[in-house]
Amino acid sequence: MTSAGRLTTGLPEISNLVPRVAPFVGRDEEIAEVFSLHTEHPAVLLHDPLDRPLGYGTSQMAVAYGHTYSQRYEMAWTFDCAREQDPARLTERVRQALDSLCEAYETARGEPLSGPFAVNWLLIYDNVADPDAVRDLFPEGNARILVTSRAAGTWDERARLQVGPVDRAEAAKIFKEVATLDQRNADRLAEAFDGHPGQLVRVAEEIRAGAITPQQFLTLADIVRMAPEPDGHRARSPVSVTRRSDDPGPDRTSLRTLILRSPVCRDAGSYRSWIAALREHTDVFLDDRLTAELFIPERVDGLLDIAFGESGTPDFLRALATTVEATADAAKTGQETARGIREIVEAAAARWNPVWLPPPRPAAVPAPAEDASTCLFFVSWVNREDHAQEALAFHEMLQKAVAARRGKCELSTGYMDYRTKQGAQWEPRLIEAIRTTRLLVPLITTDYFTSPWCRREWAVMMERIRGVGAEVGGEPIAIFPVFWVRPLPQYKLPKDFTDFQYRALGGPDGEFVEDVYDLSVARQKDSLHDYVQNLAKRMVETAAESPLPHLPRKQVMELPLAFPEANGETR
């Protein structure tokens, strides 16, 4: 508690600071430096690099500073200067903000604001066009003043701090948190961009929404870097991404990040308990898909689709915050994260826009020509959190091994739907991949034969094999089963699968190996390497044989599912 009896994590009684936007990374040292500068200079300027006035997050850093050191101040007030160039209009904007401050002060203290401003008052002059011109608008007294601007003017170098790009490690962290990418893809994207935090978050949002793939963003960044710059043009960010005016933007991104950090997303069980509590606090229908099959980040995305969609309401947003707070109190951890969620929810609810909808989700990848395959092989598996990382690592090892044997001019790409089974974008990509791929690599587990999508993927490949029109016994090889977790002996494998189980590979010499999942989590990395190399060799040899006809898109969803007897169905 402070001397005024205020929680150290709470804002001052007189404050108009907006909630902190998450993710906010890589600025801890700069925030501490601002506090140090304020010990010697009442007014401190945060500005962009002198040669790159591109908006590197000075405003968000000022907000983060206000929240971080809120216990040091009895008042924190922001004056939005909106990069106003006209001195008269700038003066009017500041005057209006000062009037609002006087009203808040009188309401809180029961007396008018008079006399010079105190040293423990924080004033933020945000988005100033000319930091030199705003000095005349500072109030009398010793208040600590923070100015944000893209320019530095003639400000004393000892009283200003340059806010530049975030480093690659922090950029990768943004991609991992917002887009739910693995470390390898997050690192690749972080290397491709120049560390502009706003740009990084928007790119990650577009990837998460399925509007574009990581590889397409990498290609776009390369193209822009190759383009000649106009004469006199300063250095720029590689890619510009625009935001729709009716998009909740930072509210949604911040909520997503904080919810994933909170106790309600600690594991699948805590998430299910949270959804059960949420159902008790709201009449909004919550689909069972929000608690089944999907990874937790994708479940949260689905929940936020509802919150900011047509059925979302301010009351539903507040129910999100209330149930997170209850979980944090019960777990005795994550209370600060819960408070951050409450701040964002109340700010969004106060300016609720009934036309907010999830960002548009255009087709992620243009439909290829009918004679072009989108991938060489398709890894079919049951999306499950408990072995997702091992399955993804196996897929990446296999793709690398296939590419090494195929050569750079040959299609070697593998497809694996490892992120989501919800939303509008995963389905077109999956359908395009399964209807055109040359090889299917199913990761066999007991529940593989009951998963609707795995059954569909198998059925599509069988239909394409039949489409070759070969004589019985002469069909092209197109399916390489992998016993990911071998069903127990008492489990009766479906008869549609038994003809293929003998193609499941053993070791390099055909000997029996443990389940591939066991190889991937155990210390037998050499055995796993040998297995993958052997599988890649056979796949490459097989792919060189007769091609498979592509299946028309509409037939993918019309085919009867495979393994009907395993599901109590008749053909």
Side-chain angles (χ1 to χ4, degrees):
M1 304 288 285
T2 66
S3 58
R6 173 164 50 88
L7 287 172
T8 57
T9 53
L11 289 174
E13 182 181 18
I14 306 171
S15 171
N16 70 346
L17 283 184
V18 298
R20 282 175 288 192
V21 172
F24 185 81
V25 297
R27 302 299 192 197
D28 292 344
E29 292 183 4
E30 289 98 325
I31 290 173
E33 178 66 14
V34 172
F35 183 77
S36 176
L37 290 174
H38 264 158
T39 61
E40 298 183 12
H41 307 279
V44 172
L45 170 66
L46 300 179
H47 64 91
D48 284 356
L50 300 180
D51 61 337
R52 309 193 75 182
L54 299 170
Y56 276 91
T58 55
S59 294
Q60 293 304 327
M61 184 172 159
V63 170
Y65 173 81
H67 283 270
T68 302
Y69 290 100
S70 61
Q71 69 273 22
R72 302 282 183 173
Y73 301 102
E74 292 300 320
M75 186 270 286
W77 205 260
T78 299
F79 299 80
D80 181 11
C81 299
R83 289 197 285 276
E84 181 58 67
Q85 300 277 356
D86 183 86
R89 288 198 297 263
L90 174 61
T91 300
E92 179 61 20
R93 291 188 71 91
V94 172
R95 186 194 63 77
Q96 292 175 356
L98 187 57
D99 288 346
S100 298
L101 170 56
C102 291
E103 292 175 7
Y105 183 93
E106 186 167 358
T107 300
R109 301 289 172 86
E111 59 184 15
L113 176 61
S114 61
F117 281 30
V119 70
N120 60 346
W121 289 15
L122 175 65
L123 305 179
I124 299 175
Y125 288 75
D126 192 31
N127 283 320
V128 171
D130 181 359
D132 295 330
V134 79
R135 288 179 178 275
D136 294 336
L137 303 178
F138 294 166
E140 295 181 359
N142 295 312
R144 291 304 179 249
I145 294 172
L146 195 56
V147 177
T148 73
S149 176
R150 294 190 176 182
T154 60
W155 206 278
D156 186 346
E157 290 185 6
R158 296 168 296 180
R160 60 180 170 90
L161 182 65
Q162 177 175 291
V163 179
V166 297
D167 62 31
R168 289 182 181 176
E170 299 296 346
K173 185 177 179 181
I174 289 175
F175 284 120
K176 289 181 68 176
E177 287 194 5
V178 179
T180 325
L181 295 180
D182 60 275
Q183 187 66 52
R184 183 177 68 89
N185 276 318
D187 287 339
R188 291 175 65 207
L189 280 166
E191 185 175 353
F193 291 89
D194 72 345
H196 188 288
Q199 181 190 82
L200 295 172
V201 171
R202 286 302 292 143
V203 168
E205 287 175 339
E206 295 296 322
I207 293 172
R208 186 188 73 219
I212 195 167
T213 66
Q215 185 57 49
Q216 286 172 313
F217 260 123
L218 287 168
T219 302
L220 181 58
D222 286 340
I223 291 172
V224 174
R225 275 196 295 268
M226 290 164 56
E229 295 186 354
D231 293 340
H233 186 69
R234 293 185 174 182
R236 59 187 176 181
S237 301
V239 181
S240 174
V241 184
T242 59
R243 182 186 296 283
R244 296 189 342 164
S245 60
D246 59 350
D247 178 5
D251 288 330
R252 179 183 172 122
T253 299
S254 299
L255 272 180
R256 182 181 190 272
T257 301
L258 292 178
I259 287 173
L260 290 174
R261 293 175 182 171
S262 72
V264 300
C265 291
R266 182 176 59 248
D267 52 42
S270 62
Y271 181 86
R272 284 193 295 270
S273 299
W274 178 45
I275 294 298
L278 190 57
R279 283 176 172 143
E280 295 178 359
H281 283 76
T282 179
D283 294 329
V284 175
F285 174 70
L286 301 181
D287 197 314
D288 286 339
R289 289 178 301 173
L290 295 173
T291 57
E293 290 192 9
L294 307 175
F295 298 146
I296 285 179
E298 277 65 53
R299 298 177 192 179
V300 172
D301 282 335
L303 196 62
L304 294 179
D305 281 348
I306 295 172
F308 291 103
E310 293 177 330
S311 58
T313 64
D315 288 342
F316 182 70
L317 275 179
R318 291 188 172 103
L320 290 178
T322 298
T323 49
V324 171
E325 288 168 341
T327 302
D329 290 342
K332 296 182 178 179
T333 184
Q335 286 91 341
E336 184 174 354
T337 299
R339 281 192 288 272
I341 291 172
R342 172 63 70 182
E343 289 177 0
I344 295 167
V345 161
E346 292 301 333
R351 52 185 174 79
W352 182 256
N353 182 353
V355 303
W356 271 353
L357 294 172
R361 301 184 179 220
V365 181
E370 288 295 328
D371 61 348
S373 296
T374 59
C375 59
L376 177 70
F377 68 93
F378 184 112
V379 173
S380 173
W381 74 302
V382 179
N383 267 300
R384 280 176 43 177
E385 293 179 48
D386 50 8
H387 61 218
Q389 293 304 313
E390 290 79 15
L392 178 58
F394 171 80
H395 171 262
E396 292 179 342
M397 286 181 63
L398 182 59
Q399 182 165 270
K400 185 180 296 185
V402 168
R405 294 177 180 274
R406 292 271 289 178
K408 67 179 182 179
C409 295
E410 298 288 339
L411 179 67
S412 304
T413 309
Y415 178 91
M416 181 178 179
D417 176 35
Y418 65 90
R419 289 203 303 156
T420 182
K421 282 283 195 291
Q422 178 156 332
Q425 287 311 299
W426 66 270
E427 190 172 298
R429 292 198 300 269
L430 185 150
I431 290 175
E432 196 60 37
I434 191 61
R435 79 174 194 87
T436 64
T437 189
R438 176 62 181 84
L439 302 169
L440 180 71
V441 182
L443 306 188
I444 302 300
T445 57
T446 302
D447 49 0
Y448 181 89
F449 303 106
T450 58
S451 166
W453 272 103
C454 293
R455 296 174 63 195
R456 186 175 305 283
E457 290 152 10
W458 186 284
V460 167
M461 291 304 289
M462 291 301 300
E463 182 68 16
R464 294 177 60 201
I465 290 172
R466 287 190 287 268
V468 173
E471 296 181 1
V472 176
E475 302 95 338
I477 297 174
I479 301 177
F480 282 95
V482 169
F483 277 114
W484 186 250
V485 178
R486 194 180 300 264
L488 295 173
Q490 60 267 33
Y491 179 81
K492 186 177 180 181
L493 293 169
K495 62 182 181 181
D496 287 349
F497 173 74
T498 52
D499 290 341
F500 291 86
Q501 66 176 310
Y502 303 106
R503 291 184 187 165
L505 297 177
D509 299 319
E511 74 277 8
F512 173 78
V513 297
E514 296 182 50
D515 294 348
V516 177
Y517 171 71
D518 293 332
L519 295 179
S520 66
V521 299
R523 291 177 293 276
Q524 305 178 55
K525 298 303 182 184
D526 290 342
S527 297
L528 177 62
H529 177 270
D530 292 343
Y531 180 91
V532 170
Q533 292 298 323
N534 189 25
L535 175 59
K537 181 174 183 294
R538 298 193 187 188
M539 288 169 59
V540 170
E541 292 171 350
T542 300
E545 299 172 1
S546 58
L548 290 182
H550 293 186
L551 192 70
R553 294 182 185 88
K554 66 176 183 177
Q555 282 190 238
V556 172
M557 302 303 295
E558 295 174 352
L559 288 175
L561 301 184
F563 316 124
E565 71 277 12
N567 294 270
E569 303 168 2
T570 57
R571 291 188 181 278

